[in-house]
Amino acid sequence: MEQGNLIKTKAYVNGQWVGAASRKTFEVINPATGEVLAAVPDMNREDVRKAIDAADAAWAGYRDLTAKERSAILRNWFNLMLEHKEELARIMTMESGKVMAESLGEVNYGASFIEWFAEEAKRAYGDVIPPHTKDRRLVVIKQSVGVAAAITPWNFPLAMITRKVAPALAAGSPVIIKPPSETPLTALAISELAQNAGFPPGVYNTVTSTESSEIGKELCENPKVRKLSFTGSTPVGKILMSQCASTLKKLSLELGGNAPFIVFDDADIDEAVKGALVSKYRHNGQTCVCVNRILVQDQVYDEFVEKFTHAVQGLKTGNVLNTDVQVGPLINEKGLKKVKEHIRDAVAKGAKVTTGGDIIEGLFFQPTVLADATRDMIIAREEVFGPVAPIFRFSTEEEAIQMANDTEYGLASYFYSKDVNRCWRVAEALEYGMVGINEGLISTEVAPFGGIKESGFGREGSKYGMDYFMEIKYMCFGGITK
Ligand code: SIN
């Protein structure tokens, strides 16, 4: 396939490129420049219902393919994605403001879920259970759950789609993807690659819309959709969960976080600075697993603040299409307003800005460090989702654990220490789905990604990921004679 053909301005339903029945469209904006990139269909509930019907009709044929056949299509899709890596990354950078180096990384990361589940497809083993009577034989098989819907966020325009749909497609489930209105172009570009990879019509569908709540309602309430996987905010996750109650739909929710990053006095401070930098400023602080609170022990507090501030001052901003640029824009005005509000509140309550604190231009904001942060500040409780790092102080291990767990969220957490006993103690005590120990970047397709408490439930990636798109069926064979 030729390069340069991946900008699509139609939605992809039942193997066709289609507009909204109403003919309405909406514009996709480049957050780095404010320029309009394209206009795509603004679909409504009725359009989505058609996609669900197509997916449901395709289910029987698709689930009857052998696992090896489904695996081969996934593998084609994976190869096509890598072949078009530069073009996909460019589209992603232009519509999301993610810097080019990170967009290139996201294509690899997103594709890795497809490769992983192409392999897992062939290993969806069941069980043979020793029977409880002589004349019976007990077997367990795993089967596709049915049509699966994925509602995905703008911060990972590609990887949050593949992390959800690759296990669904591997399991034999057709998919309907509702990408966010900020980043539909990456979603449509990979739909084109999915079409070329050979998914049968109706198996892979992407619907674009600004009517997120109406579309969400249809995906939750339509009985033909058997599974919904959502990544986004906790308040929206709660609405979706209540809407799914009417059909008792299976649900995976990957929601907000408030990640602590603890630096103990026995840590390698230089390594801790590197870990905090990569975790805090990944996609300009706009990921659910970005550090939100840095907690540093008294004895090393001043040293950490000084070294971390220095490292943050070295981050490079500029044209996001250049591969050496590390800091891009925030996604929109709402994101920018939140960052400013968190800084204003923290400073009013005694925080000291050691670097940054101001707008650069447009949606670009300076990477910012706040020393002397305290627990009464908004930033201690709410995810800032931007380039602001507040640094709190603690005295004892017990206090650090208590501070880290003092939140309704439980997605990612991190800490640095060289004491192996402390590493086990603290890792076990942190109430989080994921813990990075002497490591600031923990996401990979081979490990389970997900949270506890109000960060949601379900796990994505890893050997566990496919189970969320399959049903377990127990079969009891009676009357067996010898
Ligand atoms: C997210 O922010 O939702 C995903 C982050 C990741 O996969 O590392």
Side-chain angles (χ1 to χ4, degrees), residues 109 153 155-156 160 163 231 254 282 286-289 443 449:
Y109 179 47
N155 62 344
F156 284 84
M160 293 308 100
R163 189 157 79 185
T231 293
E254 201 262 273
R282 183 174 173 219
Q286 301 175 108
T287 89
C288 302
V289 291
S443 306
F449 188 104

Side-chain angles (χ1 to χ4, degrees), residues 100 442 466:
M100 193 62 179
I442 56 177
M466 247 176 94

Side-chain angles (χ1 to χ4, degrees), residues 2-195:
E2 239 179 275
Q3 300 280 336
N5 282 341
L6 288 182
I7 297 267
K8 295 280 150 192
T9 52
K10 293 269 192 271
Y12 183 64
V13 174
N14 203 16
Q16 309 285 327
W17 293 96
V18 296
S22 67
R23 295 173 186 269
K24 278 202 217 159
T25 59
F26 66 93
E27 290 177 343
V28 187
I29 311 289
N30 182 338
T33 61
E35 149 201 29
V36 176
L37 295 169
V40 298
D42 199 357
M43 297 181 123
N44 61 22
R45 225 173 145 154
E46 190 47 43
D47 292 310
V48 173
R49 214 169 281 145
K50 283 189 200 144
I52 296 171
D53 288 343
D56 187 51
W59 182 30
Y62 186 62
R63 71 176 176 229
D64 282 350
L65 295 182
T66 62
K68 194 169 173 165
E69 287 167 329
R70 289 195 298 270
S71 172
I73 305 174
L74 281 161
R75 172 59 68 170
N76 292 342
W77 194 30
F78 165 74
N79 289 334
L80 284 168
M81 225 171 252
L82 293 190
E83 248 173 63
H84 293 269
K85 182 167 150 180
E86 297 278 336
E87 196 183 349
L88 288 171
R90 219 182 145 75
I91 294 173
M92 195 187 307
T93 288
M94 290 205 302
E95 66 177 349
S96 72
K98 182 170 283 200
V99 295
M100 193 62 179
E102 287 196 43
S103 293
L104 288 164
E106 187 179 335
V107 179
N108 284 339
Y109 179 47
S112 74
F113 291 102
I114 304 174
E115 181 185 43
W116 175 265
F117 286 108
E119 290 156 1
E120 288 295 286
K122 295 177 276 183
R123 296 184 190 114
Y125 302 130
D127 268 319
V128 179
I129 298 175
H132 56 303
T133 64
K134 287 195 169 136
D135 63 342
R136 297 187 197 186
R137 298 294 180 269
L138 314 183
V139 176
V140 171
I141 60 168
K142 291 184 183 174
Q143 291 180 304
S144 146
V145 70
V147 174
I151 303 182
T152 61
W154 51 261
N155 62 344
F156 284 84
L158 188 152
M160 293 308 100
I161 294 177
T162 56
R163 189 157 79 185
K164 293 179 189 316
V165 306
L169 292 163
S173 289
V175 297
I176 295 162
I177 299 150
K178 159 66 180 72
S181 54
E182 291 86 349
T183 60
L185 297 177
T186 307
L188 294 173
I190 63 170
S191 306
E192 163 86 355
L193 300 181
Q195 181 181 38

Side-chain angles (χ1 to χ4, degrees), residues 288-362:
C288 302
V289 291
C290 276
V291 168
N292 202 53
R293 298 169 289 156
I294 302 180
L295 318 179
V296 184
Q297 199 154 11
D298 279 331
Q299 292 86 328
V300 291
Y301 189 88
D302 293 340
E303 181 188 352
F304 182 87
V305 170
E306 194 200 315
K307 288 184 168 170
F308 186 66
T309 300
H310 182 70
V312 172
Q313 285 164 342
L315 291 173
K316 185 168 176 191
T317 187
N319 182 346
V320 286
L321 288 166
N322 292 343
T323 49
D324 61 340
V325 165
Q326 294 161 295
V327 180
L330 287 150
I331 187 72
N332 53 30
E333 283 295 337
K334 198 169 152 212
L336 183 67
K337 196 167 158 226
K338 188 173 191 184
V339 162
K340 288 198 275 187
E341 173 57 16
H342 279 219
I343 295 176
R344 194 204 53 72
D345 170 78
V347 170
K349 291 175 181 156
K352 196 167 116 226
V353 178
T354 64
T355 189
D358 257 322
I359 287 195
I360 302 171
E361 67 170 344

